[in-house]
Amino acid sequence: MHTATRLALAMSLGIGFAIAQPKLSPTPTFSKNIAPVLQQHCQACHRPGQAAPFSLSTYEQARPWAKAMKEAVLQRRMPPWFADPRYGKFANNPSLPQTDIDALVAWADGGAPLGNRSELPPPRTFVDGWSIGKPDIVFQLPKPFHVPATGILEYQYVIIPTGFTEDTWVEQVQAAPTDYSVVHHIVAYVRIPGSNYFKNMPKNEFFEAPPSKGDAAPKDDVPNDWLTGYAPGQPPDVFKPGQAKLIPAGSDIVLEIHYMPEGKAASDQTRLGLVLAKDQPQQRTMTLSAGNMSFKIPPGDPNFRVDASMTMPEDVTLLGLHPHMHMRGKSAEYRIVFPDGRRETLLSVPRYNWRWQLWYDLAEPMRLPKGTKLECTEHFDNSKNNPENPDPAKTVIWGQQSFDEMMVCMFNVAFDARITTKQMLAPERSKSAE
């Protein structure tokens, strides 16, 4: 082969080899690739004044956490989500697509560059202090509650009169601490006129639940209603137009707050924000629950099962599911048994994490005819292999503190707005009154 021919062949092979090489992608930048991911998936919590311990609103805030974010997304610890993908589809699943995980990893490995600031997306806007829209009405604790650095605190209660002279429909509602670091949870109940719930307790003052006298509490002819709750990871209640929760005229709001000292004295003055429905809703929404308070978890038991169920007293549409346990919570499962005997598993949480009290909102709300039974199973790990377990030698029963246990399976439903509270929460007493 002539020298010129060999040279031409070598050049053509070299060119071909160069063309065949994959083109290396440039390192993702914060401005172009990472900021949109953080806005969509992280900033609802990771911003000033919210529950997350640091903000990811700007490059300067996010840059020091690049390696930590890489590890969190690779291990799928963030954003928190625990539903088994084999069961159910959920509208609020925050899980990152693989392309976003790859971008975050490559950004961290590439030195977490800023890129061109002109490529930054417009900042995501939030109503200051809220995850809901700007509240039409805000109720607040009458004064700050001072949380000591150490100790165990009983639940604190405050009865707040609404002053509502007519029925009020609420489309969005949020319980918002002013210091998230010391608030384990908040529950806001609607106390309907005539209720026996804390009947003789003062209003606009902190108090602890009076000790039980051993006799049965008087039955409430007018049941009370869960309005909203807060715990880490628990979103506010936000319903579609045409759906809303009801606060009847003359009702009070009972705030239940569980404070947990975290090593530093602090103060909190929790607020409750309401966005009112613009029009009379066609559907009323309500938070119901199936629960079991009679369990006794034996010492050392690694997989203790507790069951609960509730039969729908009326036709409802199921919107979302919310299992609740404490430190020994291990797994949860929701099932539906239709009146014709058909069964369906709606949600499985095989690795429950009590530090993240998530709601699982159905992507397609489900019609449940009257007589449909919702079944719930929760398992508890009271063994020494549970790193969260404070005392594997203890027999564990129902209790309010985190070192006790709870077995609750909450769920949101929507139904005809003409159906009364009593029909939904006390159907037997409702029938007897007819």
Side-chain angles (χ1 to χ4, degrees):
M1 185 180 291
H2 294 295
T3 301
T5 303
R6 288 198 299 267
L7 180 60
L9 178 62
M11 290 177 65
S12 67
L13 290 174
I15 292 171
F17 180 76
I19 293 173
Q21 293 305 297
K23 185 178 180 180
L24 296 177
S25 300
T27 298
T29 67
F30 182 86
S31 298
K32 185 175 182 179
N33 308 102
I34 304 305
V37 176
L38 300 185
Q39 285 186 354
Q40 182 178 355
H41 295 280
C42 308
Q43 289 179 9
C45 294
H46 285 273
R47 58 188 171 94
Q50 294 300 304
F54 54 88
S55 176
L56 296 174
S57 299
T58 67
Y59 173 73
E60 289 73 21
Q61 293 168 343
R63 173 65 183 82
W65 298 98
K67 295 296 185 183
M69 284 191 283
K70 168 189 169 181
E71 295 304 315
V73 299
L74 283 175
Q75 298 171 18
R76 297 190 182 273
R77 290 186 286 108
M78 287 286 157
W81 187 252
F82 308 109
D84 186 329
R86 295 177 298 173
Y87 305 99
K89 302 284 186 186
F90 302 99
N92 62 327
N93 184 345
S95 301
L96 293 179
Q98 190 61 46
T99 52
D100 288 349
I101 294 175
D102 294 342
L104 278 162
V105 170
W107 177 66
D109 289 344
L114 168 62
N116 190 335
R117 284 192 181 273
S118 66
E119 294 182 314
L120 281 169
R124 184 176 173 185
T125 58
F126 297 93
V127 178
D128 187 31
W130 303 97
S131 299
I132 58 175
K134 184 178 180 180
D136 297 307
I137 298 173
V138 176
F139 297 109
Q140 188 164 24
L141 294 178
K143 61 182 180 181
F145 184 85
H146 300 292
V147 182
T150 59
I152 297 173
L153 298 180
E154 297 297 325
Y155 287 12
Q156 300 296 314
Y157 293 90
V158 177
I159 301 170
I160 301 176
T162 64
F164 293 160
T165 57
E166 58 184 23
D167 291 351
T168 301
W169 292 93
V170 180
E171 197 170 276
Q172 301 180 34
V173 55
Q174 180 181 0
T178 56
D179 188 340
Y180 284 86
S181 69
V182 291
V183 177
H184 173 267
H185 80 254
I186 302 167
V187 179
Y189 296 99
V190 176
R191 188 176 75 167
I192 297 171
S195 170
N196 289 312
Y197 184 41
F198 293 141
K199 185 175 183 179
N200 298 314
M201 300 306 292
K203 298 183 180 182
N204 286 320
E205 294 182 19
F206 290 100
F207 63 89
E208 297 175 6
S212 173
K213 298 179 181 179
D215 51 355
K219 282 189 176 181
D220 256 333
D221 291 327
V222 187
N224 303 289
D225 187 6
W226 170 297
L227 180 61
T228 195
Y230 161 77
Q234 183 171 340
D237 283 283
V238 177
F239 300 104
K240 297 178 180 179
Q243 297 178 337
K245 286 195 168 182
L246 172 64
I247 303 178
S251 295
D252 299 321
I253 302 295
V254 179
L255 284 180
E256 171 192 286
I257 309 178
H258 183 190
Y259 291 109
M260 290 185 66
E262 292 292 333
K264 181 180 178 181
S267 294
D268 170 71
Q269 195 172 1
T270 284
R271 300 181 296 168
L272 185 72
L274 311 179
V275 176
L276 305 184
K278 303 301 182 286
D279 301 299
Q280 177 78 17
Q282 297 299 308
Q283 289 189 313
R284 179 177 176 182
T285 55
M286 185 176 280
T287 302
L288 304 177
S289 65
N292 187 330
M293 300 176 65
S294 63
F295 59 83
K296 292 184 179 180
I297 307 174
D301 194 314
N303 197 40
F304 187 77
R305 174 173 176 159
V306 184
D307 292 293
S309 66
M310 179 179 175
T311 299
M312 301 303 117
E314 302 287 343
D315 294 344
V316 302
T317 299
L318 183 64
L319 304 177
L321 309 165
H322 177 63
H324 177 74
M325 294 175 277
H326 290 171
M327 292 178 171
R328 297 168 179 84
K330 181 178 182 180
S331 66
E333 183 179 282
Y334 282 74
R335 301 174 299 278
I336 285 293
V337 183
F338 291 95
D340 63 5
R342 289 183 298 118
R343 304 177 67 92
E344 182 176 346
T345 298
L346 300 179
L347 169 69
S348 175
V349 180
R351 287 177 293 278
Y352 180 83
N353 186 331
W354 76 283
R355 296 181 182 277
W356 294 103
Q357 299 289 329
L358 304 185
W359 273 91
Y360 299 87
D361 295 332
L362 301 184
E364 294 292 336
M366 178 180 289
R367 294 279 297 170
L368 303 183
K370 181 178 179 178
T372 301
K373 180 187 287 187
L374 183 142
E375 296 180 336
C376 186
T377 298
E378 295 182 346
H379 285 89
F380 299 85
D381 183 354
N382 195 24
S383 75
K384 63 182 180 181
N385 295 323
N386 177 2
E388 299 276 8
N389 193 350
D391 186 0
K394 177 183 177 182
T395 297
V396 184
I397 61 174
W398 177 281
Q400 291 187 330
Q401 297 295 335
S402 296
F403 50 76
D404 301 315
E405 267 306 336
M406 287 187 179
M407 190 284 178
V408 185
C409 297
M410 289 180 277
F411 52 102
N412 276 340
V413 296
F415 50 88
D416 191 315
R418 294 169 295 183
I419 294 174
T420 67
T421 303
K422 191 180 293 188
Q423 284 175 270
M424 290 302 299
L425 298 182
E428 296 307 316
R429 292 203 289 280
S430 177
K431 288 178 183 177
S432 64
E434 292 174 353

